[in-house]
Amino acid sequence: MGRHSCCYKQKLRKGLWSPEEDEKLLRHITKYGHGCWSSVPKQAGLQRCGKSCRLRWINYLRPDLKRGTFSQEEENLIIELHAVLGNRWSQIAAQLPGRTDNEIKNLWNSCLKKKLRQRGIDPVTHKPLSEVEHGEDKSQPRTNSKDMASSELNINTNNPKPGTSPVTPRGYQLEMEGSPTSKTVNSSDNNGNTTTNLMTSTTTASKGFFLDKFSTNSQPSDLVGHLPIHQLNYASNARLSSTSNPTPWFTQTTQAFDINSEFSSAAMPSFLPPLTASFLSAPMGYKPSVADSPSMASFTVNGSRYWETDCSTPEKEAPLHLMESQAEDIKWSEYLNNPLNGRCFAKSNSTVLQQQQEPLQNPNMCAAKDIHRLTAAYGHV
DNA sequence: AAGAGCTCCAACCGCAACATC
DNA sequence: TGATGTTGCGGTTGGAGCTCT
């Protein structure tokens, strides 16, 4: 037990990363890829363990990270995903491009749990608090947050195992079904492929999504409200999106790089941002103020407002973390040939999810959409 | 102004799964 | 097949910064 074995070998730094360390790590990975993480600190000249380097890269330095506060849409999505996936933060993060599991976990623990409680929803079971309090944990009076946390643990033990799901969000379903917004919003692309827009923040819509994602056959969506998710046979697809959310930058294959050789441009996406001071210091996030949008339909559940995504307005789909230099450096032909690598053209999350469900065999279509969005966002290409 | 309490988030820790030998 | 190394995940912690008194 204790620290990772590699950390014993030498005196290694712990704690916050300095800008110099960040730059070293970023330079190294930008140039060579990470390869084997345990060798990164040595090669990069860092007094850190590989694990620490990996974490720093994933949670902070990765160029495709979206920074800044979470939008209302993202929060709603996290809540819905948590209702189905539980504390599987990495899987939740996989549905939110540019967000890390750590970030989402922090948001959940610091903010979303509180919000749900304020809305009268138990953050663990996603049932109305009144229902939970009159249920199995009635014997555990809640006097403060720590008590609540401990009761959550108890509830969690009722969940068979991590691979299974906590209770379906009946709390939402009860009040949202039948509302004007509780319909799945389908859209068809030019190939006649129908997609479901999860970000409509409706229970029914997400039920459709989750069924698509987790069940191996198409079951009536209303089953979700009555069966534990694990009975819906989604376990086989539990690692739902490890491939649907590609990390285009570096993979283990970069181990093959000769560290002394010139960097191969073929292996490096052309839109990798150059290392600049601004990259290290400038906030990269652009947060569309979704909740403030007057054009956005909203509805009220348990006294709380929910916002319905308006995916039709391209202004909201402006690139979220596109750096100026990046925008200049983009090679359109490469992007057109491989648009899925170009996640730097962040869409609103609704369209990202939608795209993940779109057939990959039509890249030009996706690229054309992205060009439209970018044109709308910047006014020129 | 100061210090106590709180919040948020970056980073650490322990573990399990997987890969390699 | 077991030992060892590596990676990834989720829980937890420490501390910086903020708010309150």
Side-chain angles (χ1 to χ4, degrees):
Chain A
M1 294 295 182
R3 234 195 288 181
H4 197 242
S5 58
C6 66
C7 304
Y8 289 114
K9 293 174 186 168
Q10 47 187 309
K11 262 198 169 180
L12 297 175
R13 269 179 59 89
K14 286 175 67 178
L16 294 178
W17 281 65
S18 67
E20 292 76 25
E21 287 179 306
D22 279 343
E23 189 171 335
K24 277 184 183 176
L25 181 60
L26 189 60
R27 274 190 196 283
H28 176 80
I29 295 180
T30 300
K31 199 166 183 184
Y32 305 111
H34 61 71
C36 174
W37 279 112
S38 58
S39 61
V40 165
K42 190 179 172 188
Q43 293 168 355
L46 290 163
Q47 301 291 312
R48 296 272 182 176
C49 74
K51 203 172 179 177
S52 182
C53 293
R54 175 184 161 270
L55 208 67
R56 185 63 178 172
W57 172 258
I58 289 172
N59 288 337
Y60 191 79
L61 295 176
R62 240 171 57 199
D64 58 337
L65 283 180
K66 187 197 295 182
R67 310 191 68 90
T69 53
F70 281 75
S71 68
Q72 187 66 44
E73 289 171 319
E74 287 176 306
E75 289 187 5
N76 289 342
L77 179 57
I78 290 166
I79 291 169
E80 293 191 4
L81 287 167
H82 186 271
V84 174
L85 295 168
N87 290 357
R88 277 171 285 174
W89 306 115
S90 61
Q91 290 183 24
I92 294 174
Q95 303 299 322
L96 288 129
R99 301 297 190 181
T100 68
D101 53 355
N102 206 34
E103 206 176 3
I104 292 169
K105 184 169 56 183
N106 282 335
L107 178 76
W108 180 263
N109 288 327
S110 67
C111 182
L112 294 183
K113 274 166 96 170
K114 212 180 304 172
K115 279 189 183 176
L116 282 181
R117 286 197 192 101
Q118 284 170 358
R119 295 172 189 180
I121 295 167
D122 182 81
V124 177
T125 63
H126 293 259
K127 288 178 179 179
L129 271 176
S130 56
E131 192 178 318
V132 174
E133 281 163 0
H134 291 97
E136 62 266 25
D137 59 349
K138 200 185 352 181
S139 60
Q140 299 170 359
R142 294 178 174 185
T143 54
N144 57 34
S145 60
K146 296 208 169 183
D147 287 343
M148 291 168 100
S150 62
S151 72
E152 284 168 12
L153 288 174
N154 291 336
I155 291 168
N156 258 336
T157 61
N158 293 333
N159 295 329
K161 46 187 160 186
T164 61
S165 163
V167 181
T168 303
R170 266 201 293 157
Y172 311 136
Q173 180 197 352
L174 287 172
E175 304 197 28
M176 293 167 69
E177 268 188 357
S179 72
T181 55
S182 68
K183 60 179 185 294
T184 303
V185 178
N186 291 324
S187 60
S188 300
D189 62 23
N190 291 345
N191 292 332
N193 297 306
T194 302
T195 58
T196 301
N197 188 347
L198 174 64
M199 293 303 295
T200 50
S201 293
T202 70
T203 303
T204 312
S206 53
K207 279 193 294 191
F209 170 81
F210 292 133
L211 276 174
D212 288 346
K213 280 285 186 185
F214 301 128
S215 63
T216 53
N217 49 17
S218 55
Q219 304 191 37
S221 62
D222 56 302
L223 280 177
V224 177
H226 308 292
L227 290 175
I229 296 298
H230 65 267
Q231 292 180 12
L232 293 177
N233 192 25
Y234 80 91
S236 60
N237 293 331
R239 300 187 79 83
L240 62 154
S241 57
S242 57
T243 55
S244 67
N245 185 23
T247 304
W249 303 99
F250 308 103
T251 68
Q252 295 281 358
T253 59
T254 56
Q255 288 180 56
F257 285 18
D258 178 358
I259 202 161
N260 294 317
S261 69
E262 197 57 40
F263 178 72
S264 163
S265 62
M268 174 67 75
S270 62
F271 44 81
L272 183 68
L275 176 62
T276 63
S278 64
F279 171 69
L280 289 172
S281 59
M284 294 192 290
Y286 162 74
K287 178 190 167 241
S289 183
V290 172
D292 293 333
S293 169
S295 65
M296 185 162 295
S298 67
F299 57 98
T300 303
V301 176
N302 279 349
S304 303
R305 281 185 80 199
Y306 288 77
W307 283 267
E308 186 173 1
T309 306
D310 181 359
C311 297
S312 62
T313 43
E315 300 90 290
K316 297 196 189 82
E317 298 173 1
L320 298 179
H321 54 104
L322 194 63
M323 287 165 283
E324 283 181 29
S325 59
Q326 241 179 297
E328 303 283 325
D329 291 341
I330 289 159
K331 293 180 182 172
W332 284 99
S333 60
E334 289 183 30
Y335 180 68
L336 285 167
N337 287 333
N338 196 4
L340 292 176
N341 278 353
R343 219 177 52 202
C344 57
F345 296 106
K347 311 167 189 309
S348 75
N349 290 292
S350 56
T351 51
V352 168
L353 280 161
Q354 193 169 326
Q355 188 194 12
Q356 284 173 354
Q357 295 182 336
E358 283 175 1
L360 303 183
Q361 62 267 26
N362 194 5
N364 290 334
M365 181 71 67
C366 302
K369 287 180 189 171
D370 285 321
I371 290 170
H372 282 303
R373 290 192 186 97
L374 216 69
T375 307
Y378 284 109
H380 63 88
V381 176

